[in-house]
Amino acid sequence: NSLNETSEHKEHKTSMPVVFNEPLSFLQRISEYMEHTHLIHRACSLSDSIDRMQVVAAFAVSAVASQWERTGKPFNPLLGETYELIREDEGYRLISEQVSHHPPVSAFHAQSLKQEFEFHGSIYPKLKFWGKSVEAEPKGTMTLELLKHKEAYTWTNPMCCVHNIILGKLWIEQYGTVEIVNHSTGDKCVLNFKPCGMFGKELHKVEGYIQDKSKKKRRVIYGKWTECMYSVDPKVYEANKKSDKKTAGDSKKLKPVSEEADEMPDVQETVTVIPGSALLWRIKPRPAHSAQMYNFTSFAMTLNEVEPGMERLLAPTDCRLRPDIKAMENGDIDAASTEKERLEEKQRASRRERSKDEEDWSTRWFQPGTNPHTGAEDWLYTGGYFDRNYTDCPNIY
């Protein structure tokens, strides 16, 4: 989901200059999955499982929408770093913790304040450098439990690629197949995030379908992850596609993508809506000054806020208290750079201490375990964070 440094485990590594960063920790970036929580609430309120699945699919797409044009790299969380987010207005609270440093693993757990849902997962981004671009594979599973319906949905996020890391304008593409499974009903949604293709015609497009447990296609879902998602009856979709092919003649005018920098294709028309489609989700416009603010959404802009009296309540490991991010937020790049180096060195020193004493790092709020729905290894929240007892928290800053 994001560019975590892969060279992290070489002791003599070169650290990424702070100017490539945005003033958020990767843990805060994860909390942006919650920007469209209203979709989870809507799914909870629906009585039909196919209707619920299409809204859950829209939520899965909306969770990566904030990546659009976000080319700043979040800060790598320090081992033991945490982030909490309480949104009374949206009816949930979230806690995340950096549970491993090699490989870097971030675990999160969000719960509804009214016991309606739980949403959790752990992510360890795997990076590949391809010369001009960096590809991040967000390994790890998302699990959404709708408690009233006794349903659990799981999926994995799409691949993310940042183009032109050496030359030209940075741009982001997401691609790959995302499969959402409802473990209670056997319904499944297969979403195809399309790579941009030779002429950029497919840029940002997402298409897929929902099938029930007898593999019958029930809905087609389409749209763009940067914009909106619609759902339509499969027969209507097929009929529309046939008539489209008849009228599609003249596409020769498009020019291929140039060699030097992978120019971001101009986005052609936005989503063409098929008559009879239902809108599932539409993105909120970004604030007017977003381009000067790392292309943050309104939601992202609130993530570093420390409200009066909050400082007393926060765990000492919360990223809002992290000095390098604070300095960057205040526009002091030199201080941010110095602090980042100090914190990384402190982390290396404590790792050397532990290996000398043959001690293992112990996580505070999550334990390794098995995801009850997929049977795969996962990190599970052990509870207790919001009791506000932080005596055992490590001193990482």
Side-chain angles (χ1 to χ4, degrees):
N1 189 339
S2 141
L3 307 183
N4 273 36
E5 287 146 45
T6 43
S7 55
E8 194 67 271
H9 45 87
K10 303 188 183 97
E11 202 54 79
H12 59 273
K13 73 171 189 94
T14 51
S15 171
M16 290 280 275
V18 79
V19 291
F20 290 115
N21 286 34
E22 56 174 32
L24 289 179
S25 164
F26 184 59
L27 295 180
Q28 291 166 299
R29 196 76 181 273
I30 288 176
S31 70
E32 293 187 54
Y33 293 156
M34 301 303 290
E35 179 167 356
H36 304 276
T37 304
H38 63 91
L39 292 168
I40 304 183
H41 290 305
R42 192 158 106 222
C44 289
S45 73
L46 295 166
S47 53
D48 178 79
S49 74
I50 299 292
D51 289 348
R52 286 196 294 277
M53 175 60 96
Q54 58 184 24
V55 177
V56 170
F59 174 72
V61 174
S62 81
V64 299
S66 71
Q67 305 260 4
W68 181 52
E69 299 204 320
R70 288 282 285 286
T71 49
K73 184 187 147 320
F75 282 73
N76 288 338
L78 300 162
L79 186 57
E81 192 174 309
T82 58
Y83 182 67
E84 69 167 77
L85 184 62
I86 302 177
R87 290 291 300 264
E88 308 271 346
D89 54 335
E90 291 275 351
Y92 69 85
R93 60 190 190 182
L94 169 143
I95 171 65
S96 56
E97 177 180 8
Q98 190 70 2
V99 290
S100 165
H101 191 57
H102 304 316
V105 182
S106 312
F108 73 93
H109 187 98
Q111 53 195 175
S112 146
L113 298 175
K114 295 187 179 143
Q115 277 71 55
E116 288 171 344
F117 69 84
E118 294 195 355
F119 176 49
H120 51 94
S122 51
I123 296 168
Y124 48 110
K126 286 196 72 159
L127 289 204
K128 285 192 188 125
F129 289 86
W130 297 105
K132 296 190 289 187
S133 60
V134 180
E135 187 177 60
E137 183 186 352
K139 288 175 117 30
T141 302
M142 308 286 113
T143 303
L144 174 63
E145 303 182 42
L146 304 183
L147 303 175
K148 184 177 93 179
H149 298 287
K150 299 191 169 59
E151 277 180 342
Y153 299 80
T154 60
W155 66 92
T156 301
N157 284 327
M159 301 284 267
C160 177
C161 186
V162 180
H163 292 272
N164 296 343
I165 52 172
I166 312 292
L167 175 83
K169 182 183 186 310
L170 291 166
W171 59 280
I172 288 181
E173 183 180 18
Q174 308 222 35
Y175 44 83
T177 304
V178 170
E179 208 172 86
I180 305 170
V181 178
N182 179 334
H183 293 269
S184 320
T185 61
D187 299 336
K188 186 190 274 187
C189 175
V190 180
L191 292 173
N192 182 10
F193 283 69
K194 304 204 168 193
C196 108
M198 199 48 189
F199 302 108
K201 279 206 331 211
E202 304 285 294
L203 186 66
H204 302 152
K205 279 193 182 171
V206 182
E207 278 182 0
Y209 57 87
I210 294 172
Q211 62 177 41
D212 59 25
K213 65 172 179 289
S214 60
K215 297 205 163 50
K216 179 176 169 2
K217 275 195 189 175
R218 302 287 297 272
R219 302 295 289 177
V220 167
I221 291 188
Y222 66 94
K224 289 187 176 177
W225 61 266
T226 49
E227 216 173 303
C228 57
M229 291 303 292
Y230 286 91
S231 130
V232 71
D233 182 278
K235 287 191 194 66
V236 176
Y237 182 79
E238 287 308 322
N240 190 75
K241 235 167 126 170
K242 283 199 185 85
S243 69
D244 262 8
K245 279 210 173 94
K246 284 199 187 98
T247 54
D250 193 25
S251 59
K252 296 186 191 69
K253 294 194 199 70
L254 295 163
K255 60 179 199 312
V257 175
S258 79
E259 257 314 289
E260 280 60 63
D262 297 324
E263 285 308 316
M264 175 171 167
D266 296 331
V267 178
Q268 263 96 33
E269 47 71 43
T270 49
V271 177
T272 314
V273 182
I274 299 167
S277 299
L279 176 68
L280 298 174
W281 160 78
R282 182 176 293 290
I283 200 163
K284 295 187 187 87
R286 302 227 168 153
H289 53 301
S290 172
Q292 287 79 56
M293 304 276 299
Y294 309 94
N295 291 316
F296 279 5
T297 59
S298 305
F299 184 87
M301 285 185 187
T302 64
L303 296 176
N304 277 328
E305 276 170 17
V306 180
E307 284 160 28
M310 193 168 157
E311 195 119 6
R312 294 191 322 263
L313 293 175
L314 285 176
T317 45
D318 194 283
C319 14
R320 293 178 190 82
L321 308 173
R322 193 175 151 165
D324 49 359
I325 296 182
K326 263 186 175 166
M328 187 170 190
E329 171 104 333
N330 298 331
D332 190 340
I333 299 295
D334 291 345
S337 189
T338 312
E339 281 296 331
K340 180 172 180 280
E341 275 168 44
R342 180 184 68 79
L343 292 171
E344 285 167 359
E345 186 39 56
K346 179 172 179 169
Q347 177 164 259
R348 284 194 284 270
S350 71
R351 186 163 73 238
R352 285 193 294 269
E353 276 304 296
R354 282 198 305 278
S355 67
K356 210 168 64 195
D357 305 340
E358 296 185 355
E359 268 179 42
D360 280 335
W361 175 265
S362 58
T363 52
R364 183 70 182 80
W365 310 108
F366 290 80
Q367 289 296 323
T370 305
N371 183 306
H373 312 293
T374 62
E377 285 174 30
D378 206 346
W379 284 86
L380 306 173
Y381 177 51
T382 51
Y385 174 87
F386 293 100
D387 300 341
R388 305 284 177 207
N389 174 6
Y390 302 133
T391 44
D392 303 345
C393 282
N395 167 12
I396 57 174
Y397 302 143

